[in-house]
C-alpha cells in the first residue's frame, strides 16, 4: 500500500481526495492536515514511529505557511520523501518553482481522478510526474538557463518575474490578487515594513509603477486568471 498524507486547507477538497484514494485500492490515507505546520507534525510523527508516508499531497495556497515554504522544509528534513504539489493556479505560475524546490510533481486540481492516482503511483516509485503543459514550461526555463550560460538568450529575455526570489514571488502573487500590504503581512507573518520593502523590489524588478500595473502584468503573463 502507498501511504499518503494530504495537506489542504479546504475540508471538502480533502474529502474528495480521500474518496479518490479509497477507490484506488492500493493507496491508503496516512493522515490529513489543514495547514503546513500540521503537515510537518504528521510527517515527523510518522517518521518517528517508523511508518513514514510514501507520498505527501501538498496544496500551494494555504494559511500560515504556503505550500512552497512547507515543501522546502519537508525536503530539508526528508529529502527522499516524494511531494506532489496541488494547485488551482495556472501551471506556469508555480510548476517550475515547485520542481526546482524538489517537488516530485505538480498537478492542477482540475485534473481527473485517474491522473491523480497515476501521479501518486509514479512519484511513489521515485519517478517524476510532469504533465505536457508543465514539461513545456520546464523546457522553457531550462532553455533560458542554457542560453544564458552560452551567452545567447538568457535572463535578459526571460520573463521579468523569473528574477524574483521565492518570498518576492509570494508577495507578488498576493499583490496581483488585490491584497493590501497589511493583509499580506498578516498572511505571511511578516511586518508591514518588510512587505513594503518586498513590494518596492518587485516593482523595480518587473518594471511596473504600481499594484494595478502589477496585476495587469500578471494577467498578460498568464500568471493569474481573470
Amino acid at each position: 500500500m502507498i501511504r499518503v498524507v494530504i495537506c489542504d486547507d479546504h475540508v471538502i477538497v480533502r474529502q474528495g481526495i480521500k474518496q479518490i484514494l479509497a477507490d484506488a485500492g492500493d493507496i491508503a490515507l496516512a493522515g490529513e492536515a489543514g495547514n503546513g505546520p500540521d503537515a510537518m507534525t504528521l510527517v515527523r510523527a510518522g517518521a518517528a514511529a517508523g511508518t513514514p508516508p510514501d507520498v505527501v499531497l501538498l496544496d500551494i495556497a494555504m494559511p500560515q505557511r504556503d505550500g512552497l515554504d512547507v515543501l522546502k522544509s519537508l525536503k530539508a528534513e526528508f529529502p527522499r520523501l516524494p511531494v506532489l504539489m496541488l494547485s488551482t493556479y495556472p501551471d506556469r505560475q508555480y510548476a517550475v518553482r515547485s520542481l526546482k524546490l524538489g517537488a516530485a510533481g505538480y498537478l492542477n486540481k482540475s485534473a481527473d481522478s485517474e491522473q491523480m492516482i497515476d501521479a501518486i503511483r509514479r512519484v511513489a516509485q521515485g519517478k517524476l510526474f510532469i504533465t505536457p503543459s508543465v514539461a513545456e514550461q520546464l523546457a522553457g526555463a531550462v532553455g533560458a538557463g542554457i542560453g544564458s550560460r552560452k551567452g545567447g538568450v538568457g535572463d535578459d529575455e526571460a520573463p521579468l518575474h523569473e528574477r524574483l526570489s521565492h518570498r518576492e514571488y509570494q508577495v507578488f502573487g498576493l499583490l496581483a490578487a488585490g491584497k493590501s500590504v497589511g493583509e499580506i503581512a498578516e498572511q505571511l507573518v511578516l511586518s508591514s515594513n518588510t512587505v513594503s520593502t518586498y513590494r518596492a523590489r518587485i516593482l523595480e524588478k518587473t518594471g511596473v509603477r504600481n499594484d494595478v500595473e502589477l496585476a495587469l502584468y500578471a494577467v498578460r503573463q498568464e500568471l493569474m486568471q481573470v
Side-chain angles (χ1 to χ4, degrees), residues 16-75:
I17 294 175
K18 286 192 291 184
Q19 185 59 58
I20 292 172
L21 302 189
D23 292 341
D26 61 339
I27 302 176
L29 180 68
E32 60 180 294
N35 57 59
D38 286 351
M40 294 296 302
T41 298
L42 270 176
V43 175
R44 287 167 180 155
T51 55
D54 299 302
V55 176
V56 173
L57 295 181
L58 181 60
D59 186 25
I60 284 183
M62 292 188 298
Q64 299 187 43
R65 296 181 66 190
D66 80 351
L68 293 183
D69 275 343
V70 179
L71 172 63
K72 290 173 67 176
S73 297
L74 283 172
K75 298 307 293 185

Side-chain angles (χ1 to χ4, degrees), residues 171 174-175 178-200 211:
V171 175
L174 293 170
L175 286 170
K179 298 285 187 180
S180 68
V181 167
E183 290 171 331
I184 296 171
E186 182 176 357
Q187 181 169 336
L188 298 182
V189 196
L190 299 170
S191 71
S192 293
N193 286 340
T194 298
V195 174
S196 294
T197 299
Y198 282 128
R199 177 181 176 276
D211 295 350

